[in-house]
Amino acid sequence: MKRLFYLLVLVICAACASKAPTDTQLQDLCRNVGFAVAGVEDEAQKKATFLEMMQKGSKEFDIYKITPQQIDLMFNDGGLALDGMLREWFVPVLEKKSQSRGEEGLLFTFYRWKYLPDTYGHEEVYWNAYKALLFHPDFREWFAKHEDYAKDIIIGAARVGGDQWVDLGVFDGITGLLKNPLPASAVFSSMDVFNTAFVSKKLSAEQKNEIRELVLGQYEALLGTERYATGRRREKVDEGIRYLESPYATGTLVGNTAPELDFIWISGGKEKSLADFQGKVVVLDFWATKCGPCIETFPHMRELREHYAAYPVEIVGVTSIMGYHVDSKNGKFISTDGKPEYEMDLMKGFMKDMGMTWRVAFSRQWVMNPDYGVLGIPHLTVLDADGKVRYNGIELSDLPACIDRLLKEKGMPVPGKTIDWELK
């Protein structure tokens, strides 16, 4: 009903005028509507005010004669305050204009997808709009010539998700995007395309690797440009390449010997690497003092440590030198930039204050470790007694069962009772 109401408003407006809108008219319209709704708090009243102002303001022109460039102009001038209402208001216009032929029709197809109203709970609307864009007969040639649209479209591929690529039959379209030279902003966004492909349950290993190689090629191409040849920009590209070539990204992490972790400090012992834990099931918990979700897991980690205290299980909270320390107990941020020894010394007090009964280690490798696919923390990895990665990126609630399974596998003793955090 709501969209039908918007459609009726637009039909009335179109009948009242036959001239195409000018940029100035559209800018004035957005400005006037913005002022009108700015002081309205009630959402229903705000929408009613928006509709009334849009109806009055657009009587002098036919909104159906708007150009693709003017679509962007209205959203830019309307800003966040009008964004949602403009998306709803433009639905019938973009539906009709996307049927136009040639590049103009393609551009309206692009904007029809880009400026869709909120599709939460109706994601198939978004997926189908994206598919219509990819399958437009002029899309490939247009995409290759218009780098300024590339980032949005690459982000869209990641948002659609790898499973839907299969369901929609657009996998070849996605790989086609990645075969074109991309601007740097789109290259960095293409990492999300790989990540969504990697976790897909419907893409084959060969398809995932094809996406990985295409994204890797995009990163490597940046190294040939002057802007990304040196400095921090070069480091950012190198980080992406290391990740795409890592055991995690190549699918060789689980089931093989754990990638090296060199410990420059560890609590309660003198271990220097993972090899020193041989013969034990090892839980690696990647974390940092600034990470609130990490700290929220501490009660569970204490329980886990107590539960397996008499068994060949080691829990190691892995972090790295950050250049700062967050004192959660006292709510203080402490700069340790250039003072790694100070940062490691502060950890002793942090562990006492936070009741950390398990081991904590600073690794020479960064905590957001590409080898283990640490894209966010906390991140849990479990090694078996032979030092092989058996579980990676698992949920906290699955941790006890994974540990018990690996103990039983080696004929090692297992606690008589189990932990089931899902029941708590």
Side-chain angles (χ1 to χ4, degrees), residues 8 33 89-90 141 185 188 200 206 223 235 255 291 296 298 309 315 324 333 356 370 378 388 390:
L8 290 174
V33 173
W89 196 73
F90 267 116
E141 182 179 356
S185 59
F188 295 126
S200 170
E206 291 76 14
L223 295 180
E235 291 175 8
C291 173
E296 289 176 5
F298 285 5
I315 304 168
Y324 62 83
F333 178 92
M356 299 179 74
K388 293 182 178 179
R390 298 296 297 275

Side-chain angles (χ1 to χ4, degrees), residues 350-385:
F350 183 92
M351 292 180 66
K352 182 178 180 180
D353 290 342
M354 305 305 291
M356 299 179 74
T357 56
W358 57 101
R359 311 286 293 280
V360 170
F362 282 86
S363 68
R364 195 174 305 280
Q365 293 80 5
W366 189 31
V367 67
M368 305 301 286
N369 194 311
D371 287 341
Y372 289 87
V374 183
L375 303 177
I377 50 178
H379 179 101
L380 294 169
T381 301
V382 186
L383 316 184
D384 64 20

Side-chain angles (χ1 to χ4, degrees), residues 58-75:
S58 58
K59 285 182 177 180
E60 301 302 318
F61 55 80
D62 182 356
I63 193 64
Y64 280 91
K65 293 183 178 180
I66 195 170
T67 68
Q69 293 75 20
Q70 288 175 327
I71 296 291
D72 256 344
L73 181 146
M74 287 199 72
F75 277 94

Side-chain angles (χ1 to χ4, degrees), residues 103-325:
E103 183 167 320
E104 180 174 284
L106 194 155
L107 281 169
F108 278 116
T109 301
F110 169 76
Y111 287 119
R112 173 177 171 268
W113 159 72
K114 180 179 179 180
Y115 292 124
L116 273 174
D118 182 18
T119 56
Y120 182 75
H122 302 279
E123 286 79 6
E124 67 279 0
V125 175
Y126 183 90
W127 301 336
N128 288 325
Y130 189 79
K131 179 179 180 179
L133 176 63
L134 288 188
F135 279 18
H136 191 284
D138 300 319
F139 175 76
R140 290 198 176 188
E141 182 179 356
W142 172 81
F143 181 80
K145 294 179 180 178
H146 294 83
E147 291 187 350
D148 46 336
Y149 296 97
K151 182 180 179 180
D152 284 335
I153 295 171
I154 291 294
I155 290 174
R159 180 178 168 185
V160 169
D163 286 349
Q164 283 69 47
W165 299 348
V166 177
D167 294 341
L168 295 171
V170 300
F171 178 79
D172 289 344
I174 302 301
T175 57
L177 296 177
L178 297 172
K179 290 175 182 177
N180 287 282
L182 299 177
S185 59
V187 172
F188 295 126
S189 296
S190 73
M191 186 64 80
D192 290 332
V193 177
F194 164 72
N195 287 328
T196 193
F198 187 84
V199 300
S200 170
K201 295 180 180 179
K202 296 184 179 182
L203 290 174
S204 67
E206 291 76 14
Q207 288 174 315
K208 293 178 181 181
N209 192 56
E210 182 178 358
I211 296 292
R212 184 190 70 84
E213 289 182 344
L214 288 170
V215 174
L216 177 60
Q218 293 288 347
Y219 270 78
E220 290 174 337
L222 286 182
L223 295 180
T225 65
E226 183 177 351
R227 182 176 176 81
Y228 291 92
T230 59
R232 183 65 189 98
R233 293 190 182 96
R234 170 63 182 259
E235 291 175 8
K236 184 177 181 180
V237 176
D238 285 339
E239 287 169 6
I241 291 174
R242 282 196 298 272
Y243 172 64
L244 291 164
E245 293 179 335
S246 70
Y248 171 79
T250 57
T252 58
L253 177 63
V254 175
N256 291 300
T257 300
E260 287 294 329
L261 285 178
D262 303 309
F263 301 133
I264 56 178
W265 182 91
I266 189 167
S267 63
K270 297 181 179 181
E271 292 86 355
K272 297 296 183 182
S273 69
L274 293 175
D276 294 330
F277 291 106
Q278 200 82 5
K280 296 181 179 180
V281 172
V282 180
V283 176
L284 300 177
D285 177 21
F286 295 89
W287 75 291
T289 59
K290 72 171 181 179
C291 173
C294 299
I295 293 172
E296 289 176 5
T297 69
F298 285 5
H300 295 295
M301 302 308 284
R302 274 194 296 274
E303 183 179 356
L304 199 73
R305 176 70 184 91
E306 181 180 354
H307 185 72
Y308 290 104
Y311 299 87
V313 176
E314 201 71 68
I315 304 168
V316 184
V318 181
T319 189
S320 58
I321 298 299
M322 298 291 185
Y324 62 83
H325 175 89

